[in-house]
Amino acid sequence: GVMVEIEGGSEDLAESIAMHVAAMNPLYAVPEDVPGDVVEKEREILKAQALESGKPPEIVDKMIEGRIRKYLEEICLVSQTYVRTNDRTVGKLLEENGAKMVGFTRIAVGEGIKKKEDNFAEEVAQMTSGN
């Protein structure tokens, strides 16, 4: 299930955004929510890849910034293409409806539940031995 919090807009808009979150599973609502260490880790990975290509450092820096921007677009809800229409971003949809994204929570069935490890052979042995 998904819970969405928006300022303004309508219940229908919030429901549509919740369906998008359920389908696309974004990690963050807005770019400002992304922790600095996550961005830095991605920046390091991209820098290593770019330097391997043998490009000059000034071009590598521009490449990294462009790829970081693209990465944030992929993992943030407001910059994702709205899944129901594919013609605008979720942020644009919110803006058109006079709403602002506050946050969301996505809960997957079974998430956080530890599966009990059973040893079927051991259970049968215990039952047959009368313990």
Side-chain angles (χ1 to χ4, degrees), residues 62-102:
K62 287 181 182 177
M63 285 172 55
I64 292 169
E65 287 313 307
R67 289 181 181 170
I68 288 290
R69 216 174 9 263
K70 178 104 174 99
Y71 173 71
L72 291 173
E73 285 175 9
E74 291 170 3
I75 65 170
C76 294
L77 172 63
V78 295
S79 53
Q80 289 182 338
T81 301
Y82 181 52
V83 75
R84 289 178 78 181
T85 61
N86 284 327
D87 65 352
R88 61 185 168 230
T89 64
V90 172
K92 187 76 175 155
L93 176 70
L94 288 163
E95 186 182 304
E96 289 169 0
N97 287 278
K100 181 180 176 229
M101 189 72 219
V102 175

Side-chain angles (χ1 to χ4, degrees), residues 25-31 33-35 38 71 75-78 80 104:
N25 197 17
L27 299 175
Y28 305 97
V30 294
D33 290 349
V34 182
V38 171
Y71 173 71
I75 65 170
C76 294
L77 172 63
V78 295
Q80 289 182 338
F104 68 86

Side-chain angles (χ1 to χ4, degrees), residues 16-34:
S16 293
I17 303 294
M19 286 193 282
H20 176 92
V21 171
M24 301 305 291
N25 197 17
L27 299 175
Y28 305 97
V30 294
E32 294 78 27
D33 290 349
V34 182

